[in-house]
Amino acid sequence: MRQVVKMMRVAMSAPVAGVTRFMSPSCGPLSVLFHGPVPRAIGQEKTGTCLWEVSSGHRLGFLVGETQPMELEICLGGVSVPHIYIEEVAGHVGQQVTLKGWLYNARYSGKLVFLQVRDGSGIIQCVLFKNDVSDQAFELARTLTQESSCIVTGTVREDKRSELDYEIAVSDLALVHMAVDYPITPKEHGVAFLMENRHLWLRSRRQAAILRIRASLIRAIRNYLDSHNFVLVDSPIFTPAACEGTSTLFETQYFDEKAYLTQSGQLYAEASAMALGKVYCFGPTFRAEKSKTRRHLTEFWMVEPEVAYLQFDGLMDLMEDFLCEIVAGVLAERASDFAVIERDITALQRVVKPFPRITYDEAIGILTAKGQPVAWGDDFGGDDETVLANEFDRPVLVHRYPAAVKAFYMKRDADNPKLALGVDLLAPEGYGEIIGGGQREDDLNELLQRIDEHGLPREPLEWYLDLRRYGSVPHSGYGLGVERTVAWLCGLHHVRETIPFPRLLDRLKP
RNA sequence: UCCGGAGUAGCUCAGUCGGUAGAGCGGGUGGCUGUUAACCACUUGGUCGGCGGUUCGAGUCCGUCCUCCGGAGCCA
């Protein structure tokens, strides 16, 4: 809280040039309020009022090259007004604070101005009465444009007329930079336009809330794995060749040879698990598939835990416990953001153990009964997953798929070799598969046979086969797609809003 | 890649039967001491996606290309 001990007022008439020095009689912070043209020393060119805080010291010097008159208020020997974030205002009621942010929206009513200011942590309404502030500050408030950066000083007070129950009674306002013709107005816009302006769209209340939820989810994932003694061992982004399946890879030049961007860190995670037991990798993944749906990105983030000596039933237990804890963690941390995006979280609060577990065969039965038959041996489509998920009030685990539709490294079910020990976790409300996992084939000869059946070359997989030559053990793991999970948590129609700068089939910019 | 839809003011859109290019928002000016995507008055603003064709005349009809949107397959 600022406690002004002494105030000096210095009026200067134009033209004044050179260095002006003020000697402070004591140590301590120094606040300077400039009325009129701001000195060049601050790097400003526009007229206005500027709050300049000098951390400590006795001497203040600046260039005055303006041709307009200038007036200074110098507050000496006091404590400067503390800068706080909007999310902290509840703890500063009745106190004078400084907010540093951007203008989100404004309304004017004659001698009264309402500024909605955002600072990344939230949005708060700042009120200026003409009679309570300087003419310069009031004029600035009237002309401040959307997304102009500004510094607000004022008193926090509770007021039910404001959306957040709090508002700032402004005593001073300073311009940092005036924005000109900000493209995204407070009215409605189309998705195409917003995606073109994604770098600015992020500033909107809704997008910021989604990104905070994403960050919270990633933190919850790391917290879970780190606290359960998983070791973070990241997999490479550059990979030498297509090791898995038919998915298209992004090709890039790696000095004198070709390299590909990773489409999964799993094979490397298996090697890491043989070294460190319980591991996970967490990074971007690239798929050059020509997929054009609400569930697909060409670049997305995936966390892939892998555990040595973990077998199939234990894997499903782990997936279940993991998902329950990370969902609960995000709900606890970001309740206000779920409110901002108007997500009804009662469905998310039902994400508790145990999850229903059904076999592929049982899933086929459900789909047939629901009038959406699937031939045995086919994989499920998006609509099939939605029908299955709608049968339950929480995520469902679908396990033991036909081996033919699963990757070469999946271990076969000992009770039925036509089935693979793979499991997908389907999110409720039609969000589909957010986790895919399985027990890995640990027998060298079986694995060689699978590789041949899938028509894959052995040579680039020799290092992977070494894992079955030198102390092979049963092991399992899974991969969770961050964006699909965020889309489900937020109730979004499309994954493109779950990542700051989405990369899609037809979008590489911005 | 396939199927469907759309491109008109900075943004969201309307534009009838082929006959002078429209609205709201935004920007600008003025008004208003409690506004909530504020409101009121005035004002500014156009390569009708590109190219070609039909026609006295094309935003409108035809051809073609481009871009975007939605969906499918594949997958997280």
Side-chain angles (χ1 to χ4, degrees):
Chain A
M1 193 170 186
R2 180 164 61 176
Q3 298 171 331
V4 178
V5 173
K6 184 180 178 184
M7 183 175 288
M8 288 165 47
R9 194 175 288 268
V10 180
M12 288 185 284
S13 295
V16 179
V19 177
T20 305
R21 295 182 190 280
F22 293 93
M23 297 301 292
S24 167
S26 62
C27 295
L30 180 69
S31 298
V32 183
L33 290 151
F34 295 88
H35 299 297
V38 177
R40 286 215 182 105
I42 299 176
Q44 295 280 345
E45 293 176 0
K46 297 202 182 294
T47 300
T49 303
C50 182
L51 177 67
W52 191 17
E53 295 176 15
V54 180
S55 57
S56 68
H58 305 273
R59 182 172 288 185
L60 170 66
F62 50 86
L63 274 170
V64 181
E66 313 295 339
T67 56
Q68 300 295 315
M70 184 176 70
E71 195 172 77
L72 309 176
E73 283 178 41
I74 302 172
C75 309
L76 299 173
V79 178
S80 63
V81 179
H83 168 225
I84 66 164
Y85 286 92
I86 292 168
E87 65 187 353
E88 302 167 335
V89 293
H92 293 79
V93 174
Q95 299 174 12
Q96 199 171 39
V97 299
T98 295
L99 301 176
K100 300 181 179 181
W102 297 262
L103 184 67
Y104 194 73
N105 198 4
R107 284 178 282 274
Y108 321 96
S109 183
K111 293 171 182 168
L112 184 58
V113 177
F114 300 98
L115 301 177
Q116 289 189 332
V117 174
R118 63 169 191 88
D119 72 351
S121 74
I123 299 177
I124 194 166
Q125 177 158 282
C126 302
V127 186
L128 287 88
F129 284 98
K130 185 170 173 59
N131 295 337
D132 293 351
V133 297
S134 67
D135 290 348
Q136 291 86 349
F138 190 78
E139 184 58 23
L140 174 60
R142 281 180 57 86
T143 55
L144 202 61
T145 55
Q146 189 190 357
E147 284 304 322
S148 286
S149 42
C150 56
I151 297 174
V152 179
T153 302
T155 305
V156 180
R157 68 177 180 216
E158 286 187 82
D159 195 315
K160 288 174 184 172
R161 290 173 295 187
S162 180
E163 280 183 351
L164 304 176
D165 295 337
Y166 298 97
E167 64 181 24
I168 304 291
V170 179
S171 59
D172 202 12
L173 173 69
L175 176 70
V176 178
H177 178 253
M178 189 70 85
V180 178
D181 295 337
Y182 185 71
I184 302 177
T185 64
K187 293 290 179 178
E188 63 190 56
H189 297 282
V191 175
F193 175 78
L194 292 169
M195 288 302 302
E196 286 294 326
N197 291 282
R198 180 64 176 169
H199 53 296
L200 303 175
W201 190 20
L202 300 179
R203 301 182 185 194
S204 77
R205 193 195 315 236
R206 181 178 173 80
Q207 296 304 310
I210 292 167
L211 293 183
R212 278 192 292 268
I213 289 168
R214 176 192 171 95
S216 182
L217 172 68
I218 291 170
R219 180 162 53 243
I221 289 168
R222 290 196 181 281
N223 283 348
Y224 181 92
L225 294 169
D226 292 343
S227 67
H228 286 76
N229 298 322
F230 284 71
V231 180
L232 174 67
V233 185
D234 281 319
S235 296
I237 305 290
F238 288 125
T239 58
C243 294
E244 177 194 345
T246 55
S247 295
T248 317
L249 295 163
F250 282 106
E251 187 179 302
T252 185
Q253 197 62 33
Y254 193 79
F255 301 111
D256 295 333
E257 58 184 319
K258 284 177 181 169
Y260 302 87
L261 302 183
T262 181
Q263 62 174 355
S264 167
Q266 184 207 307
L267 302 190
Y268 295 97
E270 287 185 50
S272 304
M274 298 304 113
L276 292 143
K278 293 163 69 171
V279 304
Y280 69 103
C281 64
F282 198 165
T285 301
F286 307 89
R287 303 270 169 95
E289 294 156 357
K290 307 260 173 142
S291 300
K292 208 176 167 182
T293 80
R294 72 183 79 169
R295 297 175 178 176
H296 285 87
L297 297 166
T298 54
E299 177 183 318
F300 64 97
W301 286 68
M302 191 156 63
V303 58
E304 294 174 280
E306 192 75 30
V307 182
Y309 288 105
L310 182 67
Q311 304 204 42
F312 196 58
D313 288 338
L315 170 70
M316 290 197 282
D317 293 342
L318 175 64
M319 288 165 63
E320 188 179 70
D321 191 57
F322 169 81
L323 192 68
C324 289
E325 286 218 15
I326 62 176
V327 170
V330 174
L331 286 179
E333 206 169 54
R334 298 261 60 108
S336 62
D337 285 314
F338 283 110
V340 165
I341 63 175
E342 298 178 308
R343 168 61 156 152
D344 178 4
I345 59 172
T346 55
L348 300 177
Q349 288 165 338
R350 285 197 296 267
V351 180
V352 290
K353 291 192 282 189
F355 294 167
R357 298 181 185 188
I358 61 172
T359 64
Y360 173 88
D361 286 356
E362 289 166 344
I364 293 279
I366 290 171
L367 290 169
T368 303
K370 290 286 163 185
Q372 190 150 330
V374 173
W376 198 97
D378 288 351
D379 208 347
F380 299 131
D383 290 343
D384 301 325
E385 291 180 347
T386 300
V387 170
L388 287 173
N390 286 343
E391 286 296 294
F392 307 96
D393 67 345
R394 60 193 75 185
V396 55
L397 294 159
V398 183
H399 59 92
R400 290 182 168 81
Y401 283 78
V405 302
K406 288 294 181 185
F408 75 92
Y409 49 72
M410 289 272 189
K411 189 173 181 64
R412 299 292 172 99
D413 184 357
D415 296 334
N416 181 352
K418 286 186 176 177
L419 299 178
L421 294 177
V423 52
D424 289 348
L425 186 146
L426 305 183
E429 302 168 75
Y431 284 92
E433 182 187 348
I434 58 171
I435 302 180
Q439 184 167 344
R440 321 306 188 188
E441 181 54 70
D442 50 280
D443 181 83
L444 178 63
N445 290 326
E446 286 285 329
L447 193 56
L448 285 169
Q449 193 180 328
R450 296 291 106 75
I451 289 169
D452 292 346
E453 285 170 4
H454 280 78
L456 298 171
R458 286 190 184 184
E459 192 279 326
L461 287 166
E462 282 300 326
W463 67 269
Y464 182 69
L465 294 168
D466 274 353
L467 306 177
R468 278 70 177 171
R469 294 186 179 111
Y470 307 112
S472 185
V473 300
H475 61 289
S476 304
Y478 62 87
L480 173 136
V482 169
E483 288 75 17
R484 284 188 183 178
T485 304
V486 175
W488 164 52
L489 293 177
C490 294
L492 301 177
H493 182 69
H494 200 298
V495 290
R496 65 188 158 206
E497 288 181 46
T498 66
I499 186 168
F501 296 97
R503 294 294 175 251
L504 299 154
L505 179 56
D506 293 318
R507 179 162 300 283
L508 187 57
K509 292 185 288 186

